Amino acid sequence: MMDIIFNMLMIFLVITAFFMVFTKDISTAVIALPIYGAILVVIFVILQAPGPAIAEAVIAAGLTTVFFVITINKTEY
Amino acid sequence: MINILVQLFVYVFLLTGLYFLLSTAVGMIRFPDLYTRLHAGSKCLMAGGISVLMGCIVMEGIGFVSLKIIVIIILLLITNPVAIHVIARLAENYHFVPKKIAKNELDK
Amino acid sequence: MVYFILAIVLFAILTFYRVMKGPSVPDRVAAMNAIGVMFLLVLVLLSLYFDRKVFLDVALVYGVFLFVNVLIMAKYFTKPEKGEVGD
Amino acid sequence: MSRMNAMFKKLYKLVLVVSLAIFLFIVFDEIHNLDNNSKRYLSEHYISEGVQETGAINIVTSVLYDYRAFDTLGEATVLLTAAAILSFLVPLGKDKMLGTTFTMIVSQTTKFFIPFLAVLGAYLILFGHLAPGGGFVGGVVMAVIPILLTITYRVEFSEYKFKPAKKKLAEDIGAIGFILLGLVGVVTGSNFLANGQANFGPGNTGELISAGLIPFLNLMIGIKVGAGLAIIFNSLIKEK
């Protein structure tokens, strides 16, 4: 049963990554970035690795988004 | 006997939470307007989340783990309404006119 | 227990439709907030399923950073996109 | 014809990404084949002997701060360089970025929220060798406090609460303290940043003060990362 959840999360991860790459608007891509981080956190927890999971929750879902948002506000998009 | 009762409470809480989370997902898809979508994202989501976490507390019993889950409940109760309020403030910049409501208001 | 986790992941995938489709930025931010809370619940349920209380720390830290994300997106996404002002 | 061209371009991009993914999958499946037992003797040694040698329960921390501590020093140096160059390039100025004005609700919530963040960050730093977390994660959680102050109030209030000179001093203390703690290993007659080999008293595994130098290294990295990220954020948000 856990295999089905794992495979579903992997497919969701691929969908999110393709959406982030192929969308037209920059702000939409930045909004999709924390979702990508959240899916990776759940996958790491299923694989029994809490250390990389907590680092992923801090870096990909937290800091990268913060810096991207400020950089987008400073540019003309 | 008491074991069966605890199991029953857990299932009731979790199923209630799942119902509210399903209504959150359906509301996010089906509602026509931004403000109604915010309504689905605040109240239904918090009801579902608190129900699921209460089920976890009942399942776990009194201990260190349930204390941490109570901390998570307090975190959600503080942060999520403020997050929705902030999103509504963001929507003011875009000058939204909700079509279906605004027409009726102007006709009167 | 596993069926509940499966159901919540399914609801998160359903809510992702609003991120893809949503006509404006606040719609997408609200849907992102909903997906984040759903994954937080999945993390708590997984920590009870595997019976390791260490995983609750991950859920706590993720909740904090979800709030910070929503706050900073609402503060600094201010320029409306061209031709997409409406409901 | 142009629509045909655009469709072909889109299809070309998709085929490119898919073929790259398949190529990477084949290559990594060939290299990191998990069934191959002969390549994993180092990780076997870490898993079986790591707790006795270093005294830290968390194996990730024992690898990061004992076996591979020199890499951690390199990562910290990257952050130090970034913070130094940003604060050098953006010396002074005011916060002129456009932003939605927040109401009193958000500022009051921030006031309630900050002590919670401080407790969470201190817990993550101090229990780095017993639970997941460690210096980097705890430092980032501590750095969220000036970021929240900058978002809800202004940059001026944030820099009145946390003075830039003090933040720079904290970052220097973190960087120099890490190297001084590493030099303790040289004094006792073994390598730089040696912890398990130099026998610093692993103590009873599982207690708060155990595992030799690892909690102090965690503390130094936490101070350094927190101060550095706060400096980077405040420098990015200011403009001439």
Side-chain angles (χ1 to χ4, degrees):
Chain A
M1 201 63 203
M2 203 48 103
D3 289 343
I4 299 176
I5 297 175
F6 188 76
N7 290 334
M8 255 169 62
L9 282 172
M10 288 300 236
I11 293 170
F12 192 17
L13 187 75
V14 172
I15 291 172
T16 319
F18 268 87
F19 175 70
M20 267 166 51
V21 173
F22 285 113
T23 184
K24 290 276 172 55
D25 198 2
I26 304 177
S27 58
T28 309
V30 174
I31 289 169
L33 183 61
I35 304 171
Y36 182 82
I39 299 164
L40 266 182
V41 168
V42 177
I43 285 175
F44 279 139
V45 165
I46 288 177
L47 290 176
Q48 304 276 328
I54 205 166
E56 182 73 28
V58 164
I59 294 167
L63 271 181
T64 317
T65 316
V66 169
F67 288 139
F68 273 158
V69 169
I70 295 170
T71 313
I72 282 176
N73 193 358
K74 287 203 170 191
T75 55
E76 300 279 336
Y77 72 96
Chain B
M1 182 60 199
I2 193 84
N3 219 349
I4 297 172
L5 206 63
V6 166
Q7 202 76 16
L8 194 71
F9 264 106
V10 169
Y11 274 101
V12 167
F13 273 123
L14 286 182
L15 283 177
T16 316
L18 277 196
Y19 169 70
F20 279 112
L21 288 180
L22 175 65
S23 56
T24 301
V26 173
M28 273 289 172
I29 294 174
R30 290 280 300 170
F31 275 158
D33 197 353
L34 169 69
Y35 297 105
T36 46
R37 277 174 213 141
L38 286 187
H39 173 82
S42 65
K43 294 180 184 65
C44 284
L45 188 67
M46 283 319 288
I50 289 172
S51 302
V52 170
L53 291 177
M54 286 293 286
C56 291
I57 289 175
V58 173
M59 193 193 317
E60 193 59 35
I62 299 171
F64 191 68
V65 175
S66 56
L67 185 71
K68 264 189 185 175
I69 299 177
I70 288 173
V71 171
I72 291 178
I73 289 182
I74 295 173
L75 179 85
L76 278 183
L77 274 180
I78 290 177
T79 58
N80 202 20
V82 180
I84 297 294
H85 166 76
V86 159
I87 293 171
R89 292 289 296 183
L90 168 67
E92 273 192 2
N93 290 331
Y94 291 79
H95 303 295
F96 281 111
V97 180
K99 283 176 187 167
K100 290 178 182 174
I101 302 173
K103 274 180 186 170
N104 288 337
E105 293 282 328
L106 286 179
D107 284 342
K108 278 176 187 175
Chain C
M1 190 97 153
V2 189
Y3 296 100
F4 294 114
I5 300 173
L6 183 70
I8 297 178
V9 171
L10 261 179
F11 298 157
I13 295 177
L14 280 182
T15 315
F16 188 71
Y17 172 78
R18 187 46 72 188
V19 179
M20 288 167 73
K21 181 78 190 315
S24 68
V25 169
D27 284 322
R28 293 184 170 121
V29 179
M32 193 272 290
N33 187 21
I35 291 176
V37 174
M38 283 176 192
F39 275 120
L40 196 146
L41 296 179
V42 167
L43 285 178
V44 173
L45 282 176
L46 275 177
S47 86
L48 291 190
Y49 176 74
F50 289 129
D51 203 4
R52 296 183 66 184
K53 65 180 180 185
V54 170
F55 290 165
L56 283 175
D57 285 346
V58 184
L60 204 58
V61 173
Y62 181 67
V64 168
F65 276 91
L66 182 70
F67 176 59
V68 175
N69 270 339
V70 174
L71 211 60
I72 199 160
M73 278 179 188
K75 178 80 176 177
Y76 288 120
F77 276 155
T78 52
K79 300 173 193 166
E81 318 103 13
K82 283 161 198 159
E84 279 201 7
V85 178
D87 65 343
Chain D
M1 194 61 199
S2 67
R3 191 198 297 166
M4 198 71 186
N5 215 347
M7 245 182 77
F8 181 73
K9 199 177 265 181
K10 198 176 281 184
L11 199 72
Y12 172 72
K13 276 193 270 183
L14 217 116
V15 167
L16 192 67
V17 171
V18 168
S19 59
L20 188 66
I22 292 173
F23 172 71
L24 284 180
F25 177 74
I26 290 172
V27 168
F28 282 113
D29 192 45
E30 205 52 45
I31 292 174
H32 294 282
N33 203 355
L34 287 181
D35 295 331
N36 198 352
N37 270 326
S38 64
K39 293 173 187 170
R40 291 199 295 160
Y41 57 93
L42 196 58
S43 56
E44 291 285 343
H45 176 231
Y46 286 162
I47 292 171
S48 61
E49 305 284 331
V51 176
Q52 284 95 25
E53 280 187 4
T54 64
I57 292 178
N58 194 356
I59 295 178
V60 178
T61 306
S62 76
V63 172
L64 271 181
Y65 292 97
D66 194 349
Y67 295 114
R68 296 282 181 264
F70 206 69
D71 285 350
T72 310
L73 182 61
E75 290 174 17
T77 313
V78 170
L79 258 179
L80 178 69
T81 314
I85 288 178
L86 264 174
S87 58
F88 172 69
L89 284 182
V90 194
L92 45 90
K94 305 233 165 163
D95 179 15
K96 280 188 211 160
M97 288 172 66
L98 287 174
T100 57
T101 54
F102 283 166
T103 52
M104 204 180 75
I105 299 171
V106 185
S107 55
Q108 290 294 321
T109 311
T110 309
K111 269 187 196 168
F112 278 118
F113 202 58
I114 282 173
F116 174 72
L117 277 179
V119 172
L120 183 62
Y123 164 73
L124 282 176
I125 290 177
L126 290 180
F127 281 72
H129 55 291
L130 302 178
F136 193 85
V137 177
V140 175
V141 174
M142 294 289 252
V144 166
I145 299 173
I147 290 176
L148 273 183
L149 282 180
T150 308
I151 294 169
T152 52
Y153 304 96
R154 308 280 300 180
V155 173
E156 291 84 15
F157 184 75
S158 168
E159 291 197 342
Y160 169 71
K161 280 287 184 190
F162 297 94
K163 300 270 193 309
K166 283 183 184 174
K167 279 187 286 193
K168 281 168 193 164
L169 182 68
E171 190 173 16
D172 294 344
I173 285 175
I176 294 172
F178 195 91
I179 297 175
L180 284 183
L181 281 177
L183 284 179
V184 173
V186 178
V187 171
T188 54
S190 98
N191 294 325
F192 181 62
L193 279 170
N195 177 31
Q197 313 158 355
N199 232 341
F200 277 122
N204 302 324
T205 47
E207 288 183 355
L208 183 56
I209 300 177
S210 65
L213 283 180
I214 289 179
F216 306 105
L217 291 178
N218 261 328
L219 192 62
M220 289 303 162
I221 287 289
I223 291 173
K224 184 178 163 5
V225 170
L229 283 177
I231 289 174
I232 288 176
F233 186 83
N234 275 346
S235 308
L236 266 181
I237 215 164
K238 279 190 290 191
E239 280 179 352
K240 259 294 175 66

